Amino acid sequence: MENSHVKPSVRPKLALARFISVISRLAVLLIMMVVMSFLSHSFFTTNNLLNILRQAAPIFIIGAGQTVVILARGIDLSMDSVASLTGVIMATLMVDNKVPFYWSMLLSLGLGALLGLINGIIVTKIKLPPFVATFGTYLLFKGLTVLWIDGRVISGFSKDFTFLGAGRVFGIPFIIFIALLVYLIVRLLLRYTTFGRKIYAIGANPEASRVSGIKIDRIVIAAFVISAMLATFGSQLYISRINSAKEDFGEGFALDAIAATLIGGTSFDGGVGTIEGTVIGALIILLLRNAMNLLGVSGLWQGLATGLVIIIAVLGDTYLKKVAKKYEG
Amino acid sequence: MRQNPSNRFLHWLEIVPSIAWILIALLIVFCLITPHFATLDNLFNLIRQGAVLTIVATGMVVAITSGGIDLSVGALIGLTGTVIGFTINRGLSWPLAMVVGVLVCSLAGLISGLIISKGRIFPFVVTFGMLFIARSIGLGLSQGGSIHIAGQAFSMIGSGYFLYLPIPFWVTLVAALIVLFFLKRTVFGRYIFSIGSDANSASWMGIKVDLIRVLVYVLSGTLAGVAGVVMASRVNTGNALIGQGTEFFAIASVVIGGTPITGGRGSLAGAVLGSFVITVLQNGLTLLGLSSQLTSAIVGIALMLGVIFAQLVYRGGLRGK
């Protein structure tokens, strides 16, 4: 369609502000890496860098889902329990029922899509604010997870399955390639399809989008489905890496995903943000954790750093936008 | 609009929040089917268990009415306990340690409020960041575990009695009355409703929106600190993770109590009753002999339905404005 090639009309100074917002994050990432290389000898080693990428991969994957939803002015708090529920169901299918791993994964992805559909329908049809709706489904799915698994810890997965999260190809963790694939798909989706452009449009101005004929409900529901499926996929990779699943292993997924998205410069207001930003966001979170580990700072202080970075990143963006608006007059 | 203003009884029915009927129904059901539910011991137990959530909910209702939200309260509960443990173990007397614990939370609220109002950032984002920060400081102070709080005096707050009633009851009552006073009897309270329904108009009317916002988060943080004192004293330990998730139950209390999540209107009584419903549900199900996992599952599902129902009813659909 012709529409898909139309660039959103952005005022030049604001576009510059957005450019600076991405570049500044990249700069922060690079500066952190340079400083760390001086501070710790074990930082700039292939092993350590691959380790950072390996750990950042699942955070990026769930963060990508959160980014799509936040771009459309939503938020998905149910990720924790979506991840737990689909994860434990996949695990029981594999271990208890001996279903081949690919079928189990597909079934659980399908279930994830269904859970996302529920989120989307509650948000668009019952018209609950996304924050309340997904908090409600968070509790609901959490309850279902507990009922399903009843306190068990499931382990003993097949080698084929654990390869996804823990295996290496040419010495590089396989999960990095998977994350790269997810990145390419989401980038394609957001930038080169009408669906992606509509997500940005809805986030920027829902009313204008509605008037111009975009079927908002469908797009928002699709965003929630994508988010839930990526949460599911992230949980599958996570289970594959640690080779066990229990009822609460998904706790914290949503927080990490939201953190990566916000640090990556996606506006909580919707309509502004890039998937590249979320890649950088996930990397900054992991780089911070890694740096603190190497410098011997207790891991307990990691949250402090993450929280500060979130607030500083968002403050910086708001300031940039304000300055840009001022010069535009 | 009421058709018949002379009908006092109907009017009375109308002003009682719907959640009250649900609470009464729950109480009747549990009295009938649960052994040991309707005993004085269990009533006191309910009060002690519920105090933390109720106190936090009274702060949350203010934040939500002002058009904001405070996600950091759960982490602040944990932080209070660890600060108290940390300072008592370094020789501070317990009343002072308690004050320090609460003040730390007020300070956290102050910082959140300043960033929200001066930086023009969504309360959700700022308090979300504060959640990470507060939890992390708590974890750091307690070295990842929990700190045992030395001495018996401090634990009296959680387990002691005053005028034949558990002390947490009095703490909750005072907290709720203070919030009630603020909301109904001060300009501050009236302004909270104004900035919640339309911050721009409020600002044009000359209301100091920024100042009110800061005060809202200071209040919410302080109340989380008070709740943290009750919690720490009940278990006699400071644990950074102990309040995890309380923010969501507090939000649920507020929403099922009839306050729209979008702000501008708010019901303190509803929020308090909402928190009672959650506490009674948890307590009753546990007494029925259900496992804690199953209890939380059922509470989760019930809250989900409650939140959806409340939004449908109070959005003005079924009941009118």
Side-chain angles (χ1 to χ4, degrees), chain B residues 48 94 98 151-162 165-168 171 229-230 232-234 236:
Chain B
R48 288 206 190 88
W94 70 266
M98 208 170 75
Q152 285 303 304
F154 178 68
S155 68
M156 279 307 289
I157 299 172
S159 59
Y161 293 85
F162 177 72
L165 286 168
I167 293 179
V171 179
V229 169
V230 174
S233 152
R234 261 184 59 210
N236 214 23

PDB file of all heavy atoms in Angstrom, chain B residues 48 94 98 151-162 165-168 171 229-230 232-234 236:
ATOM      1  N   ARG B  48      -5.498  -6.845  62.765  1.00  0.00           N
ATOM      2  CA  ARG B  48      -4.035  -6.767  62.656  1.00  0.00           C
ATOM      3  C   ARG B  48      -3.579  -7.048  61.238  1.00  0.00           C
ATOM      4  O   ARG B  48      -2.683  -6.393  60.719  1.00  0.00           O
ATOM      5  CB  ARG B  48      -3.383  -7.774  63.598  1.00  0.00           C
ATOM      6  CG  ARG B  48      -3.504  -7.374  65.028  1.00  0.00           C
ATOM      7  CD  ARG B  48      -2.388  -7.955  65.862  1.00  0.00           C
ATOM      8  NE  ARG B  48      -2.696  -7.715  67.258  1.00  0.00           N
ATOM      9  CZ  ARG B  48      -3.418  -8.548  68.000  1.00  0.00           C
ATOM     10  NH1 ARG B  48      -3.846  -9.683  67.487  1.00  0.00           N
ATOM     11  NH2 ARG B  48      -3.688  -8.258  69.244  1.00  0.00           N
ATOM     12  N   TRP B  94      13.788   2.987  70.084  1.00  0.00           N
ATOM     13  CA  TRP B  94      12.790   2.568  69.091  1.00  0.00           C
ATOM     14  C   TRP B  94      11.817   3.659  68.668  1.00  0.00           C
ATOM     15  O   TRP B  94      11.458   3.710  67.491  1.00  0.00           O
ATOM     16  CB  TRP B  94      12.090   1.277  69.518  1.00  0.00           C
ATOM     17  CG  TRP B  94      11.161   1.410  70.699  1.00  0.00           C
ATOM     18  CD1 TRP B  94      11.475   1.188  72.004  1.00  0.00           C
ATOM     19  CD2 TRP B  94       9.792   1.786  70.673  1.00  0.00           C
ATOM     20  NE1 TRP B  94      10.404   1.418  72.791  1.00  0.00           N
ATOM     21  CE2 TRP B  94       9.339   1.775  72.008  1.00  0.00           C
ATOM     22  CE3 TRP B  94       8.898   2.128  69.659  1.00  0.00           C
ATOM     23  CZ2 TRP B  94       8.040   2.119  72.348  1.00  0.00           C
ATOM     24  CZ3 TRP B  94       7.594   2.461  70.007  1.00  0.00           C
ATOM     25  CH2 TRP B  94       7.167   2.456  71.338  1.00  0.00           C
ATOM     26  N   MET B  98      11.459   4.661  64.762  1.00  0.00           N
ATOM     27  CA  MET B  98      10.169   4.620  64.099  1.00  0.00           C
ATOM     28  C   MET B  98       9.934   5.909  63.311  1.00  0.00           C
ATOM     29  O   MET B  98       9.530   5.885  62.143  1.00  0.00           O
ATOM     30  CB  MET B  98       9.108   4.473  65.173  1.00  0.00           C
ATOM     31  CG  MET B  98       7.870   3.802  64.749  1.00  0.00           C
ATOM     32  SD  MET B  98       6.900   3.467  66.230  1.00  0.00           S
ATOM     33  CE  MET B  98       6.266   5.076  66.606  1.00  0.00           C
ATOM     34  N   GLY B 151      14.718  -6.100  70.938  1.00  0.00           N
ATOM     35  CA  GLY B 151      13.883  -5.471  71.965  1.00  0.00           C
ATOM     36  C   GLY B 151      12.416  -5.778  71.780  1.00  0.00           C
ATOM     37  O   GLY B 151      11.934  -5.983  70.665  1.00  0.00           O
ATOM     38  N   GLN B 152      11.699  -5.815  72.905  1.00  0.00           N
ATOM     39  CA  GLN B 152      10.286  -6.179  72.865  1.00  0.00           C
ATOM     40  C   GLN B 152       9.377  -4.964  72.688  1.00  0.00           C
ATOM     41  O   GLN B 152       8.259  -5.090  72.217  1.00  0.00           O
ATOM     42  CB  GLN B 152       9.909  -6.906  74.165  1.00  0.00           C
ATOM     43  CG  GLN B 152      10.417  -8.330  74.206  1.00  0.00           C
ATOM     44  CD  GLN B 152       9.912  -9.153  73.033  1.00  0.00           C
ATOM     45  OE1 GLN B 152       8.719  -9.250  72.823  1.00  0.00           O
ATOM     46  NE2 GLN B 152      10.822  -9.711  72.246  1.00  0.00           N
ATOM     47  N   ALA B 153       9.878  -3.789  73.081  1.00  0.00           N
ATOM     48  CA  ALA B 153       9.005  -2.614  73.134  1.00  0.00           C
ATOM     49  C   ALA B 153       8.382  -2.322  71.771  1.00  0.00           C
ATOM     50  O   ALA B 153       7.187  -2.042  71.666  1.00  0.00           O
ATOM     51  CB  ALA B 153       9.799  -1.405  73.615  1.00  0.00           C
ATOM     52  N   PHE B 154       9.206  -2.436  70.724  1.00  0.00           N
ATOM     53  CA  PHE B 154       8.723  -2.064  69.402  1.00  0.00           C
ATOM     54  C   PHE B 154       7.607  -2.995  68.928  1.00  0.00           C
ATOM     55  O   PHE B 154       6.652  -2.564  68.286  1.00  0.00           O
ATOM     56  CB  PHE B 154       9.879  -2.053  68.407  1.00  0.00           C
ATOM     57  CG  PHE B 154       9.461  -1.728  67.006  1.00  0.00           C
ATOM     58  CD1 PHE B 154       8.993  -0.457  66.689  1.00  0.00           C
ATOM     59  CD2 PHE B 154       9.512  -2.682  66.012  1.00  0.00           C
ATOM     60  CE1 PHE B 154       8.588  -0.158  65.401  1.00  0.00           C
ATOM     61  CE2 PHE B 154       9.110  -2.387  64.724  1.00  0.00           C
ATOM     62  CZ  PHE B 154       8.647  -1.123  64.422  1.00  0.00           C
ATOM     63  N   SER B 155       7.705  -4.281  69.289  1.00  0.00           N
ATOM     64  CA  SER B 155       6.718  -5.235  68.790  1.00  0.00           C
ATOM     65  C   SER B 155       5.346  -5.020  69.429  1.00  0.00           C
ATOM     66  O   SER B 155       4.352  -5.580  68.984  1.00  0.00           O
ATOM     67  CB  SER B 155       7.191  -6.664  69.024  1.00  0.00           C
ATOM     68  OG  SER B 155       7.198  -6.938  70.401  1.00  0.00           O
ATOM     69  N   MET B 156       5.312  -4.177  70.505  1.00  0.00           N
ATOM     70  CA  MET B 156       4.033  -3.894  71.158  1.00  0.00           C
ATOM     71  C   MET B 156       3.038  -3.218  70.210  1.00  0.00           C
ATOM     72  O   MET B 156       1.825  -3.391  70.334  1.00  0.00           O
ATOM     73  CB  MET B 156       4.251  -2.972  72.376  1.00  0.00           C
ATOM     74  CG  MET B 156       4.727  -3.676  73.623  1.00  0.00           C
ATOM     75  SD  MET B 156       3.649  -5.045  74.034  1.00  0.00           S
ATOM     76  CE  MET B 156       2.211  -4.104  74.579  1.00  0.00           C
ATOM     77  N   ILE B 157       3.550  -2.445  69.251  1.00  0.00           N
ATOM     78  CA  ILE B 157       2.651  -1.754  68.330  1.00  0.00           C
ATOM     79  C   ILE B 157       1.818  -2.770  67.554  1.00  0.00           C
ATOM     80  O   ILE B 157       0.623  -2.591  67.350  1.00  0.00           O
ATOM     81  CB  ILE B 157       3.457  -0.889  67.349  1.00  0.00           C
ATOM     82  CG1 ILE B 157       4.236   0.160  68.129  1.00  0.00           C
ATOM     83  CG2 ILE B 157       2.537  -0.208  66.336  1.00  0.00           C
ATOM     84  CD1 ILE B 157       5.200   0.929  67.268  1.00  0.00           C
ATOM     85  N   GLY B 158       2.459  -3.843  67.159  1.00  0.00           N
ATOM     86  CA  GLY B 158       1.735  -4.831  66.374  1.00  0.00           C
ATOM     87  C   GLY B 158       0.886  -5.758  67.221  1.00  0.00           C
ATOM     88  O   GLY B 158      -0.186  -6.188  66.804  1.00  0.00           O
ATOM     89  N   SER B 159       1.349  -6.060  68.437  1.00  0.00           N
ATOM     90  CA  SER B 159       0.659  -7.100  69.198  1.00  0.00           C
ATOM     91  C   SER B 159      -0.089  -6.556  70.414  1.00  0.00           C
ATOM     92  O   SER B 159      -0.873  -7.269  71.025  1.00  0.00           O
ATOM     93  CB  SER B 159       1.668  -8.163  69.652  1.00  0.00           C
ATOM     94  OG  SER B 159       2.666  -7.547  70.441  1.00  0.00           O
ATOM     95  N   GLY B 160       0.155  -5.289  70.748  1.00  0.00           N
ATOM     96  CA  GLY B 160      -0.416  -4.766  71.982  1.00  0.00           C
ATOM     97  C   GLY B 160      -1.864  -4.314  71.853  1.00  0.00           C
ATOM     98  O   GLY B 160      -2.455  -4.320  70.776  1.00  0.00           O
ATOM     99  N   TYR B 161      -2.430  -3.926  73.010  1.00  0.00           N
ATOM    100  CA  TYR B 161      -3.810  -3.451  73.038  1.00  0.00           C
ATOM    101  C   TYR B 161      -3.865  -2.065  73.652  1.00  0.00           C
ATOM    102  O   TYR B 161      -3.034  -1.712  74.493  1.00  0.00           O
ATOM    103  CB  TYR B 161      -4.692  -4.391  73.864  1.00  0.00           C
ATOM    104  CG  TYR B 161      -4.866  -5.745  73.240  1.00  0.00           C
ATOM    105  CD1 TYR B 161      -3.915  -6.743  73.450  1.00  0.00           C
ATOM    106  CD2 TYR B 161      -5.969  -6.020  72.451  1.00  0.00           C
ATOM    107  CE1 TYR B 161      -4.068  -7.991  72.871  1.00  0.00           C
ATOM    108  CE2 TYR B 161      -6.124  -7.259  71.870  1.00  0.00           C
ATOM    109  CZ  TYR B 161      -5.180  -8.249  72.083  1.00  0.00           C
ATOM    110  OH  TYR B 161      -5.333  -9.465  71.511  1.00  0.00           O
ATOM    111  N   PHE B 162      -4.842  -1.281  73.219  1.00  0.00           N
ATOM    112  CA  PHE B 162      -5.107   0.010  73.838  1.00  0.00           C
ATOM    113  C   PHE B 162      -6.624   0.122  73.935  1.00  0.00           C
ATOM    114  O   PHE B 162      -7.330  -0.086  72.931  1.00  0.00           O
ATOM    115  CB  PHE B 162      -4.518   1.127  72.969  1.00  0.00           C
ATOM    116  CG  PHE B 162      -4.806   2.501  73.485  1.00  0.00           C
ATOM    117  CD1 PHE B 162      -4.170   2.969  74.636  1.00  0.00           C
ATOM    118  CD2 PHE B 162      -5.714   3.327  72.842  1.00  0.00           C
ATOM    119  CE1 PHE B 162      -4.438   4.233  75.111  1.00  0.00           C
ATOM    120  CE2 PHE B 162      -5.985   4.595  73.320  1.00  0.00           C
ATOM    121  CZ  PHE B 162      -5.345   5.050  74.463  1.00  0.00           C
ATOM    122  N   LEU B 165      -8.657  -2.739  72.485  1.00  0.00           N
ATOM    123  CA  LEU B 165      -8.600  -3.028  71.050  1.00  0.00           C
ATOM    124  C   LEU B 165      -7.139  -3.051  70.600  1.00  0.00           C
ATOM    125  O   LEU B 165      -6.303  -2.345  71.160  1.00  0.00           O
ATOM    126  CB  LEU B 165      -9.365  -1.960  70.266  1.00  0.00           C
ATOM    127  CG  LEU B 165     -10.891  -2.066  70.360  1.00  0.00           C
ATOM    128  CD1 LEU B 165     -11.559  -0.822  69.804  1.00  0.00           C
ATOM    129  CD2 LEU B 165     -11.386  -3.310  69.631  1.00  0.00           C
ATOM    130  N   PRO B 166      -6.821  -3.844  69.568  1.00  0.00           N
ATOM    131  CA  PRO B 166      -5.435  -3.918  69.101  1.00  0.00           C
ATOM    132  C   PRO B 166      -4.935  -2.545  68.659  1.00  0.00           C
ATOM    133  O   PRO B 166      -5.696  -1.777  68.051  1.00  0.00           O
ATOM    134  CB  PRO B 166      -5.500  -4.861  67.903  1.00  0.00           C
ATOM    135  CG  PRO B 166      -6.753  -5.617  68.064  1.00  0.00           C
ATOM    136  CD  PRO B 166      -7.705  -4.725  68.798  1.00  0.00           C
ATOM    137  N   ILE B 167      -3.681  -2.245  68.949  1.00  0.00           N
ATOM    138  CA  ILE B 167      -3.128  -0.934  68.592  1.00  0.00           C
ATOM    139  C   ILE B 167      -3.216  -0.651  67.083  1.00  0.00           C
ATOM    140  O   ILE B 167      -3.529   0.470  66.692  1.00  0.00           O
ATOM    141  CB  ILE B 167      -1.688  -0.794  69.131  1.00  0.00           C
ATOM    142  CG1 ILE B 167      -1.746  -0.761  70.664  1.00  0.00           C
ATOM    143  CG2 ILE B 167      -1.025   0.466  68.608  1.00  0.00           C
ATOM    144  CD1 ILE B 167      -0.412  -0.660  71.340  1.00  0.00           C
ATOM    145  N   PRO B 168      -2.970  -1.672  66.191  1.00  0.00           N
ATOM    146  CA  PRO B 168      -3.105  -1.373  64.755  1.00  0.00           C
ATOM    147  C   PRO B 168      -4.468  -0.783  64.393  1.00  0.00           C
ATOM    148  O   PRO B 168      -4.576   0.029  63.475  1.00  0.00           O
ATOM    149  CB  PRO B 168      -2.925  -2.747  64.091  1.00  0.00           C
ATOM    150  CG  PRO B 168      -2.055  -3.487  65.020  1.00  0.00           C
ATOM    151  CD  PRO B 168      -2.453  -3.040  66.402  1.00  0.00           C
ATOM    152  N   VAL B 171      -4.195   2.877  65.067  1.00  0.00           N
ATOM    153  CA  VAL B 171      -3.334   3.515  64.061  1.00  0.00           C
ATOM    154  C   VAL B 171      -4.115   3.719  62.765  1.00  0.00           C
ATOM    155  O   VAL B 171      -4.107   4.805  62.169  1.00  0.00           O
ATOM    156  CB  VAL B 171      -2.076   2.653  63.794  1.00  0.00           C
ATOM    157  CG1 VAL B 171      -1.203   3.310  62.732  1.00  0.00           C
ATOM    158  CG2 VAL B 171      -1.288   2.449  65.071  1.00  0.00           C
ATOM    159  N   VAL B 229       5.569   0.598  59.601  1.00  0.00           N
ATOM    160  CA  VAL B 229       5.820   0.452  61.039  1.00  0.00           C
ATOM    161  C   VAL B 229       4.964  -0.676  61.609  1.00  0.00           C
ATOM    162  O   VAL B 229       5.454  -1.564  62.318  1.00  0.00           O
ATOM    163  CB  VAL B 229       5.517   1.774  61.785  1.00  0.00           C
ATOM    164  CG1 VAL B 229       5.514   1.552  63.288  1.00  0.00           C
ATOM    165  CG2 VAL B 229       6.523   2.834  61.408  1.00  0.00           C
ATOM    166  N   VAL B 230       3.664  -0.651  61.264  1.00  0.00           N
ATOM    167  CA  VAL B 230       2.754  -1.690  61.763  1.00  0.00           C
ATOM    168  C   VAL B 230       3.230  -3.067  61.307  1.00  0.00           C
ATOM    169  O   VAL B 230       3.286  -4.026  62.088  1.00  0.00           O
ATOM    170  CB  VAL B 230       1.309  -1.430  61.271  1.00  0.00           C
ATOM    171  CG1 VAL B 230       0.399  -2.579  61.654  1.00  0.00           C
ATOM    172  CG2 VAL B 230       0.788  -0.121  61.837  1.00  0.00           C
ATOM    173  N   ALA B 232       6.296  -4.043  60.284  1.00  0.00           N
ATOM    174  CA  ALA B 232       7.569  -4.443  60.884  1.00  0.00           C
ATOM    175  C   ALA B 232       7.356  -4.874  62.326  1.00  0.00           C
ATOM    176  O   ALA B 232       7.973  -5.834  62.804  1.00  0.00           O
ATOM    177  CB  ALA B 232       8.562  -3.290  60.817  1.00  0.00           C
ATOM    178  N   SER B 233       6.462  -4.177  63.015  1.00  0.00           N
ATOM    179  CA  SER B 233       6.242  -4.472  64.414  1.00  0.00           C
ATOM    180  C   SER B 233       5.495  -5.803  64.593  1.00  0.00           C
ATOM    181  O   SER B 233       5.727  -6.538  65.537  1.00  0.00           O
ATOM    182  CB  SER B 233       5.467  -3.316  65.038  1.00  0.00           C
ATOM    183  OG  SER B 233       4.715  -3.752  66.100  1.00  0.00           O
ATOM    184  N   ARG B 234       4.599  -6.110  63.647  1.00  0.00           N
ATOM    185  CA  ARG B 234       3.873  -7.376  63.733  1.00  0.00           C
ATOM    186  C   ARG B 234       4.807  -8.566  63.607  1.00  0.00           C
ATOM    187  O   ARG B 234       4.674  -9.556  64.314  1.00  0.00           O
ATOM    188  CB  ARG B 234       2.825  -7.447  62.628  1.00  0.00           C
ATOM    189  CG  ARG B 234       1.433  -7.102  63.078  1.00  0.00           C
ATOM    190  CD  ARG B 234       0.461  -7.302  61.944  1.00  0.00           C
ATOM    191  NE  ARG B 234       0.475  -8.668  61.453  1.00  0.00           N
ATOM    192  CZ  ARG B 234       0.217  -9.018  60.196  1.00  0.00           C
ATOM    193  NH1 ARG B 234      -0.053  -8.100  59.313  1.00  0.00           N
ATOM    194  NH2 ARG B 234       0.255 -10.279  59.831  1.00  0.00           N
ATOM    195  N   ASN B 236       8.143  -8.259  63.814  1.00  0.00           N
ATOM    196  CA  ASN B 236       9.343  -7.931  64.575  1.00  0.00           C
ATOM    197  C   ASN B 236      10.634  -8.083  63.785  1.00  0.00           C
ATOM    198  O   ASN B 236      11.690  -8.404  64.335  1.00  0.00           O
ATOM    199  CB  ASN B 236       9.413  -8.771  65.853  1.00  0.00           C
ATOM    200  CG  ASN B 236      10.059  -7.983  66.976  1.00  0.00           C
ATOM    201  OD1 ASN B 236      10.063  -6.757  66.948  1.00  0.00           O
ATOM    202  ND2 ASN B 236      10.629  -8.675  67.950  1.00  0.00           N
TER     203      ASN B 236
END
